[in-house]
C-alpha cells in the first residue's frame, strides 16, 4: 500500500513537472524554445536509460527495495534542485 501511494505521488510529480517546467523555463528563466526542448529531452532520455537498469536491479534485489530507493533518490534530487546552489547544476543551466 505504501509503495502504491509513493508511486502515485511520484507520477503526479512527474506529470506536474512535465506540464509546468516548460512554462517556467520559457517565461521565468527566459530560455529559448530550443533549450526548453533540450531540457525536456534530457529528462525523458534519462528515464529511458534508467528503466532497463531499474528492471535489472529489481530482478536482482527485489522490486520494493528498488522502488523505495528510487523514490528516496528522487526526493533528494528535487530538494537539491530547489536549493539556490542546486539550481546552478540543473540540466539546462549550462545551455
Amino acid at each position: 500500500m505504501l509503495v502504491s501511494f509513493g508511486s502515485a505521488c511520484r507520477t503526479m510529480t512527474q506529470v506536474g513537472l512535465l506540464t509546468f517546467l516548460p512554462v517556467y523555463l520559457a517565461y521565468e528563466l527566459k530560455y529559448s524554445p530550443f533549450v526548453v526542448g533540450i531540457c525536456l529531452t534530457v529528462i525523458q532520455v534519462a528515464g529511458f536509460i534508467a528503466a532497463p537498469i531499474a528492471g535489472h536491479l529489481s530482478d536482482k534485489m527485489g522490486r520494493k527495495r528498488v522502488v523505495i530507493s528510487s523514490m528516496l533518490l528522487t526526493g533528494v534530487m528535487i530538494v537539491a534542485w530547489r536549493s539556490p546552489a542546486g539550481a546552478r547544476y540543473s540540466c539546462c543551466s549550462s545551455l
Side-chain angles (χ1 to χ4, degrees):
M1 183 74 165
L2 182 61
V3 172
S4 295
F5 177 72
S7 181
C9 289
R10 185 207 164 280
T11 301
M12 288 186 282
T13 301
Q14 183 179 11
V15 169
L17 184 68
L18 293 178
T19 302
F20 297 109
L21 182 62
V23 175
Y24 174 73
L25 294 175
Y27 292 107
E28 295 297 321
L29 299 182
K30 308 293 187 219
Y31 287 168
S32 70
F34 178 76
V35 174
V36 171
I38 294 294
C39 290
L40 294 176
T41 300
V42 167
I43 292 170
Q44 292 301 313
V45 168
F48 288 134
I49 292 170
I53 295 169
H56 177 73
L57 289 174
S58 178
D59 290 342
K60 297 289 182 186
M61 297 171 28
R63 178 177 50 172
K64 188 174 182 179
R65 282 178 76 187
V66 172
V67 169
I68 290 173
S69 299
S70 67
M71 283 192 236
L72 288 173
L73 183 60
T74 299
V76 168
M77 293 305 293
I78 289 172
V79 169
W81 191 30
R82 290 288 303 147
S83 71
R88 292 186 306 219
Y89 302 109
S90 68
C91 68
C92 301
S93 65
S94 62
L95 298 177

